[in-house]
Amino acid sequence: MISKRIAAALAGATTVSLLLGACGDNGGDQSSVAGDSVKSLTILDYYNNDPDKSLVQKGLDSCATKLGITIQRETVPGDTLIQKVLQQASSKTLPDVLMLDNPDVQQIAATGALAPLDELGLSGDGVIQGMVDATTYDGKLYGLAPVTNTIALFYNKDMLAEAGVQPPKTWDELKAAAKKLTKPGRYGMAFNANATYEGSWQFLPAMWTNGGDETDLTSPQVAEALQLWVDLVQSGSASKSVINWTQGDVKDQFVAGKAAMMINGPWQIPSLQQTPKVKWDVVTFPLNKPDQKPIAPLGGEAWTVPLNKDQAKQQKAADFVKCLNSDENELAWAKARFTIPTKTSLHDQYVAEVPSMKAFTETVKTARARTGKLGDKWPDAAKVIYQAIQLALTGKASAQDAFKQASGG
């Protein structure tokens, strides 16, 4: 899902160099012992609410049993995780296994807090490239994600059928369909364009699919993508309230029958299943031009191993991460949580068992890591993106000028 940013937290830390000196041990037993003598591992993640908390716990318990250890798990709210990680780094109390939102791996790896997994016998072979890019820093692999997610276009099957509209494959078809599906009390299209990283996340399929790039936000391709958002709102096919909506709000509009289509992720499927009267399906994000391919951002969390002077415990933690990324566990978590296995070899089997995830599974094959090109500078670009969207959708700047204005140009 959308990233829990760490830029502000890093800025608030005294210095990154302090972390480098603080991450050498985890405050546990520092004696060097044989791997079999490691009986327990500590774990920190941000799945603090059910159903995800319990579903993740099953995977953790399974690996603990296989490795013959016990685990001590701590869960915290997502928006507090990074600050806690920085505090634990400075007090030498990092856990043995640490879960991070994938865009945050590079920033934490840059502090020197994490152990390179490729030096502990783990590999990203067979994993979708976007996730490998997200969890690699300075040529070394620091995290592995069992599952991932992304966003695509949901549509109400009954509404489209009633209007004689096919699921759109192009931007022109999207705008035409949204206009035809719009009527009193219902918009044809819903999306999140709020002034947060979530608003930037939802804009990326349009920007990236059109050839836009975060390294040059003033390009014509980026402006063209923003114009799509502007056209949908100005035509009345999407609500002006999109500038305030969260992804949860977008889902609520769709479930209530107030939107015929929406941009959203598979984490909304459990909620959609609670309203069986809403018949829905999903397609990949439409293309602007026939020769394009849909490119969306990768969500999902990676499991990492903080540095530990206790080499045996560090290796056991790496073995635990390896277990979490086994074929069996990837499929189990994917099916239970409507996510997608990161190993491409599992995709065909997964789609056969969970057909509703077909569009998302297809999308992650070409999906990109938000930090893939800018690394720890991504949050700066994301801020410019959502500020530009706000300027354009509120009429304070044209799509062509919004990014220049947002970046201070």
Side-chain angles (χ1 to χ4, degrees):
M1 300 180 188
I2 193 64
S3 160
K4 313 302 185 291
R5 293 290 97 215
I6 76 167
L10 283 174
T14 307
T15 63
V16 168
S17 62
L18 287 177
L19 297 179
L20 289 168
C23 296
D25 65 68
N26 290 5
D29 180 8
Q30 300 306 312
S31 61
S32 178
V33 293
D36 289 344
S37 68
V38 177
K39 300 301 182 183
S40 179
L41 293 176
T42 56
I43 299 172
L44 176 63
D45 65 84
Y46 60 51
Y47 281 116
N48 65 323
N49 292 314
D50 280 329
D52 276 333
K53 181 177 182 179
S54 297
L55 292 173
V56 168
Q57 186 70 50
K58 289 181 180 180
L60 300 177
D61 289 342
S62 174
C63 285
T65 298
K66 289 179 180 178
L67 294 179
I69 60 172
T70 60
I71 55 175
Q72 301 173 35
R73 180 189 182 194
E74 180 181 5
T75 62
V76 297
D79 58 0
T80 69
L81 177 69
I82 295 304
Q83 187 60 48
K84 185 175 184 67
V85 168
L86 295 175
Q87 292 169 348
Q88 289 181 332
S90 63
S91 61
K92 305 180 182 180
T93 57
L94 281 167
D96 301 311
V97 178
L98 171 65
M99 190 201 76
L100 293 169
D101 198 9
N102 80 77
D104 296 337
V105 173
Q106 292 186 11
Q107 288 105 319
I108 297 301
T111 71
L114 305 178
L117 296 184
D118 34 17
E119 296 179 6
L120 294 169
L122 279 68
S123 167
D125 292 348
V127 175
I128 53 175
Q129 189 59 46
M131 189 58 73
V132 174
D133 292 342
T135 56
T136 298
Y137 175 74
D138 200 20
K140 295 181 179 180
L141 182 72
Y142 285 92
L144 281 175
V147 292
T148 185
N149 60 58
T150 188
I151 47 180
L153 182 69
F154 286 79
Y155 65 92
N156 185 304
K157 296 167 69 173
D158 292 337
M159 290 180 182
L160 266 68
E162 179 185 352
V165 171
Q166 295 295 316
K169 296 181 179 180
T170 68
W171 289 10
D172 286 342
E173 290 179 2
L174 176 64
K175 289 188 286 186
K179 184 175 182 179
K180 192 170 183 179
L181 290 162
T182 298
K183 65 180 186 179
R186 184 182 80 193
Y187 290 97
M189 181 69 174
F191 55 92
N192 163 352
N194 66 15
T196 71
Y197 294 110
E198 201 173 70
S200 300
W201 153 270
Q202 283 228 330
F203 178 68
L204 291 178
M207 184 176 91
W208 283 346
T209 297
N210 199 44
D213 195 293
E214 56 270 33
T215 62
D216 182 11
L217 291 172
T218 60
S219 73
Q221 292 87 351
V222 175
E224 201 171 18
L226 182 52
Q227 189 64 50
L228 173 63
W229 263 209
V230 172
D231 289 346
L232 288 167
V233 172
Q234 287 188 348
S235 67
S237 298
S239 172
K240 293 180 180 178
S241 297
V242 297
I243 63 171
N244 298 314
W245 285 348
T246 65
Q247 292 181 117
D249 294 330
V250 171
K251 179 265 299 178
D252 289 343
Q253 294 290 315
F254 186 78
V255 169
K258 295 181 179 180
M261 299 182 292
M262 70 169 177
I263 301 295
N264 228 314
W267 53 88
Q268 306 292 6
I269 291 179
S271 179
L272 294 176
Q273 289 181 328
Q274 294 176 11
T275 55
K277 65 178 181 180
V278 179
K279 308 299 182 184
W280 54 270
D281 206 343
V282 191
V283 292
T284 57
F285 191 81
L287 310 177
N288 186 24
K289 300 173 183 177
D291 61 344
Q292 295 175 342
K293 61 182 178 180
I295 302 177
L298 279 175
E301 294 77 23
W303 297 83
T304 70
V305 176
L307 283 176
N308 195 325
K309 288 182 180 178
D310 185 337
Q311 296 297 311
K313 182 163 281 193
Q314 183 170 272
Q315 185 61 57
K316 184 67 73 173
D319 295 342
F320 190 85
V321 170
K322 183 177 182 179
C323 177
L324 292 179
N325 288 271
S326 67
D327 291 2
E328 177 185 3
N329 201 59
E330 286 202 13
L331 283 169
W333 271 2
K335 288 186 285 186
R337 301 176 53 225
F338 292 99
T339 48
I340 304 113
T342 57
K343 292 179 182 174
T344 58
S345 61
L346 301 176
H347 287 178
D348 288 346
Q349 178 183 347
Y350 177 58
V351 171
E353 297 182 22
V354 191
S356 62
M357 292 297 293
K358 180 179 180 180
F360 295 110
T361 304
E362 188 66 28
T363 297
V364 300
K365 294 177 181 178
T366 55
R368 277 175 47 189
R370 282 156 280 173
T371 53
K373 292 194 174 183
L374 293 181
D376 58 8
K377 297 296 189 291
W378 161 250
D380 298 331
K383 185 176 181 180
V384 172
I385 290 171
Y386 70 66
Q387 289 177 337
I389 293 171
Q390 291 277 307
L391 290 170
L393 294 186
T394 56
K396 296 179 180 178
S398 67
Q400 290 71 32
D401 294 335
F403 281 94
K404 184 181 295 185
Q405 189 171 326
S407 58

